[in-house]
Amino acid sequence: MRALVDIVRLESFMRGLGASARERGRIYLTGGASAMLIGWRQSTIDVDIKMVPEQDSVFRALSELKESLQINIELASPGDFIPEVPGWQERSLFIATEVNLSFFHYDFYSQCLSKIERGHARDVEDVRQMMDRGLVAPERLAHSFEQIEPLLYRYPAIDPPSFRRALQQALSGFGHR
């Protein structure tokens, strides 16, 4: 069984991945990695990433880092579960650059919508933390949902009315409807 990922392992992962890149690229961190770096979690089960552009040298390093750091790594981002929110790359906040790779928090509006749709207890807490910390504005979150709602048909596992109700419930906790 692999260890939980703490900030030390996450930073080692970022350094190792950056050293493996042969060309410039971006790594978008999402979920627990963002939560740890911002400070509302001490650990996470895995590191979820999106790589742009994909690089063979980085893919090869993922396997090596997974073993040497004894961590779980997932190639997963909100865009794998819900439609991509327009402008997500421009809203993704810079974290650091390690050699040829720049690391970013995947757009928090996309992260919130993905977590609202999934609806697990930890996801609900993450959404609350992002709103409490000012990373997401309720009005803009509602607008982001409106932008992707016409594309939800491409995700047959999603029930659009249930997703809308979950969003309204999340927003009502912050005085917005």
Side-chain angles (χ1 to χ4, degrees):
M1 182 167 180
R2 302 204 182 274
L4 289 175
V5 181
D6 60 13
I7 197 72
V8 172
R9 280 189 167 92
L10 179 60
E11 289 172 348
S12 294
F13 169 75
M14 291 168 61
R15 281 190 302 277
L17 213 54
S20 73
R22 300 294 169 245
E23 58 189 62
R24 291 188 185 274
R26 290 180 168 213
I27 298 292
Y28 295 92
L29 300 175
T30 188
S34 284
M36 282 192 323
L37 288 168
I38 300 230
W40 74 84
R41 277 202 222 159
Q42 297 299 309
S43 64
T44 187
I45 294 170
D46 54 23
V47 179
D48 298 323
I49 66 167
K50 178 176 179 74
M51 181 186 344
V52 179
E54 293 183 348
Q55 297 183 42
D56 282 344
S57 62
V58 177
F59 277 121
R60 285 186 178 93
L62 289 174
S63 178
E64 294 169 13
L65 289 166
K66 177 181 169 180
E67 293 307 317
S68 67
L69 296 172
Q70 286 296 295
I71 62 173
N72 291 314
I73 301 165
E74 298 288 332
L75 299 174
S77 68
D80 295 323
F81 306 103
I82 63 170
E84 288 184 341
V85 178
W88 72 267
Q89 287 182 316
E90 293 79 16
R91 284 189 309 275
S92 295
L93 299 180
F94 176 75
I95 300 167
T97 298
E98 296 289 345
V99 189
N100 281 326
L101 289 181
S102 293
F103 291 82
F104 293 81
H105 293 286
Y106 197 105
D107 169 47
F108 287 109
Y109 290 92
S110 299
Q111 288 196 49
C112 271
L113 288 173
S114 180
K115 288 173 176 292
I116 288 168
E117 194 284 321
R118 193 165 65 175
H120 297 148
R122 181 169 261 184
D123 294 326
V124 171
E125 174 60 18
D126 286 346
V127 170
R128 187 183 70 72
Q129 288 286 341
M130 285 184 254
M131 288 187 178
D132 285 353
R133 293 167 186 270
L135 298 168
V136 172
E139 298 80 18
R140 188 157 188 182
L141 184 61
H143 176 69
S144 295
F145 177 80
E146 290 167 7
Q147 289 181 293
I148 67 167
E149 190 174 26
L151 301 173
L152 291 176
Y153 72 91
R154 294 179 177 202
Y155 296 76
I158 296 175
D159 178 55
S162 296
F163 191 178
R164 179 174 277 285
R165 281 191 301 276
L167 173 66
Q168 289 168 342
Q169 183 178 7
L171 293 175
S172 69
F174 292 91
H176 183 274
R177 289 184 184 250

